[in-house]
Amino acid sequence: MKPSAPSEFSLIEFIRSQDQAMPENLLRQIGDDCAVFDPAKMHRMVASTDLLIEDTHFRNRWTTPRWLGRKACAVNASDLAAMGAAPYASLLCLGLPTERTGAYFREFILGFLEENRKYGMTLIGGDLSASLKVTVAVTVLGSIEEGEPIYRSGARAGDLILTIGKLGYSRAGLEHLRKHADLDISSIRSLDELEKVAGCPEAAAWLEAHNLPEAQVTPACWLRRGGLANAMIDISDGLGNDLLHILEESGVSAEIDLARLEAIAGISSVETSRDLSLNGGEDYALLFTASEQQYDRIRSAYPAAWPPFRVLGRITPGRGELYLLESGRKTPYSRKGYDHFE
Ligand code: ADP
Ligand code: MG
């Protein structure tokens, strides 16, 4: 970094000086060459990583550094949730243009740590570098104390297909930003202010879903511990695309009843609302399958305070085909989600 910029050491010191929970089996965190932990209590350890690049995955004008820090953590926690694993630790690699090593950096770190705390994770290390665009690479570790993760490959014919979390709102937010491309929300301080800039409460809810996704960690761990789901994934590329992953890995087919999709508040066209819900992306909702018996147990024991679950359809025998049911008609689904290399 340039001499006028804060030194790498002072940036790391800022991170180190923040309050963080110390899991008892963590022996060394930030400050040595590696973090060290005692894995004795972990029956299974899961790991995942994700990359967020300015102008590819996000625009600085369309979020705030605090929210970007939170989202960078939440999308990774969502991958842990998809396995039913408890978030344990994160590592953060950050590339920043020199002019973003001040308030932007501090806000980002505060957001990242706030979200880590929320999911019970500790930031244990990382790296920093100057770069032309903001580049965020987060690695997360999750633990399973007993039993096995829930894989994409466990769906069986006859299972119900369920979701937890809203679908399509995040994409509605992205479309709103694209339509109002000169909107700059980067210096907003609160969600109340967001509503003023967005123009209406519905659009503010879409923007919130897009910028502050919620990882469904608690319900996911509950489902796994109770043996209540056969296959699970988090919806990052749209319901249709991610359900196809389950179907392909499990060697089954499925039917989704479009009438069961929740209407998106503020979208008057049923067709648009269904399209966003099916093909949106970045929802970070949980998608899982459960047998009738598992579903009975979910219905009777699922805490009312958690985000509600919805039954959207059923797994059928087959070879990876997805069908949509609409007013008695059955049509094959074709992939429409977002592909970075298209
Ligand atoms: P090294 O030269 O071994 O890569 P660094 O000087 O880059 O070490 O980092 C010193 C310590 O600070 C290490 O423990 C590293 O994990 C931690 N660290 C560096 N960058 C970050 C970051 N962005 N977030 C958390 N910890 C970091
Ligand atoms: Mg380093």
Side-chain angles (χ1 to χ4, degrees):
M1 286 183 190
K2 289 183 192 149
S4 58
S7 68
E8 187 180 339
F9 177 78
S10 73
L11 298 180
I12 294 173
E13 272 315 294
F14 177 79
I15 298 174
R16 273 187 97 167
S17 67
Q18 304 301 317
D19 232 10
Q20 286 210 80
M22 267 311 122
E24 61 174 291
N25 52 349
L26 191 64
L27 308 177
R28 281 284 184 285
Q29 53 137 358
I30 298 170
D32 216 311
D33 295 301
C34 290
V36 182
F37 52 87
D38 170 7
K41 283 197 200 141
M42 295 182 195
H43 171 62
R44 294 283 182 259
M45 172 149 241
V46 302
S48 181
T49 192
D50 247 315
L51 193 53
L52 284 171
I53 295 176
E54 179 183 350
D55 295 333
T56 300
H57 301 93
F58 67 92
R59 284 182 205 281
N60 277 313
R61 269 183 300 122
W62 291 354
T63 187
T64 73
R66 176 83 65 134
W67 294 345
L68 184 65
R70 288 183 59 184
K71 183 167 179 175
C73 176
V75 303
N76 280 278
S78 181
D79 278 320
L80 298 178
M83 307 303 282
Y88 174 71
S90 64
L91 295 133
L92 169 65
C93 291
L94 203 50
L96 290 174
T98 306
E99 68 273 16
R100 296 207 183 271
T101 51
Y104 185 100
F105 165 79
R106 290 191 300 274
E107 282 289 303
F108 179 94
I109 293 297
L110 293 177
F112 188 77
L113 292 178
E114 177 185 343
E115 203 73 1
N116 268 262
R117 239 170 261 130
K118 182 165 126 189
Y119 299 117
M121 260 191 310
T122 307
L123 173 62
I124 59 170
D127 204 8
L128 293 168
S129 173
S131 66
L132 294 177
K133 296 204 173 204
V134 177
T135 305
V136 187
V138 177
T139 299
V140 286
L141 304 174
S143 78
I144 291 179
E145 288 190 4
E146 208 184 328
E148 297 300 328
I150 304 178
Y151 297 110
R152 297 176 176 185
S153 53
R156 290 167 213 163
D159 280 2
L160 296 169
I161 298 165
L162 293 100
T163 52
I164 296 172
K166 287 188 184 296
L167 300 181
Y169 279 72
S170 171
R171 181 61 180 269
L174 181 59
E175 294 302 329
H176 184 83
L177 290 165
R178 283 183 177 152
K179 239 184 265 166
H180 306 87
D182 44 0
L183 202 64
D184 186 341
I185 59 172
S186 60
S187 50
I188 273 182
R189 300 240 132 237
S190 69
L191 290 174
D192 288 345
E193 265 182 72
L194 182 63
E195 190 169 325
K196 274 184 221 131
V197 178
C200 63
E202 289 83 5
W206 310 333
L207 295 181
E208 185 182 345
H210 185 66
N211 282 328
L212 288 174
E214 183 94 27
Q216 302 298 338
V217 166
T218 306
C221 290
W222 179 84
L223 288 167
R224 195 198 60 77
R225 278 198 305 271
L228 298 177
N230 286 331
M232 195 151 72
I233 191 168
D234 68 320
I235 304 182
S236 51
D237 299 328
L239 169 64
N241 268 320
D242 286 317
L243 180 52
L244 281 174
H245 289 314
I246 287 188
L247 304 184
E248 281 153 14
E249 294 300 316
S250 300
V252 291
S253 289
E255 295 174 357
I256 289 288
D257 185 352
L258 293 183
R260 288 175 177 262
L261 291 170
E262 186 187 9
I264 299 173
I267 307 270
S268 49
S269 152
V270 174
E271 205 180 321
T272 306
S273 179
R274 285 181 182 174
D275 183 43
L276 290 170
S277 302
L278 201 55
N279 302 306
E282 293 204 271
D283 297 304
Y284 303 103
L286 207 58
L287 172 64
F288 62 102
T289 81
S291 67
E292 294 281 356
Q293 293 90 319
Q294 287 170 320
Y295 177 58
D296 283 343
R297 276 157 56 206
I298 293 169
R299 250 193 324 192
S300 61
Y302 191 84
W306 291 357
F309 59 83
R310 294 180 84 86
V311 177
L312 297 184
R314 199 179 275 280
I315 299 290
T316 57
R319 277 187 288 158
E321 299 94 19
L322 173 56
Y323 295 96
L324 307 176
L325 304 179
E326 191 178 12
S327 342
R329 276 186 307 130
K330 182 169 153 178
T331 52
Y333 172 81
S334 50
R335 263 179 215 281
K336 259 197 224 153
Y338 186 78
D339 184 327
H340 287 290
F341 291 104
E342 260 175 14

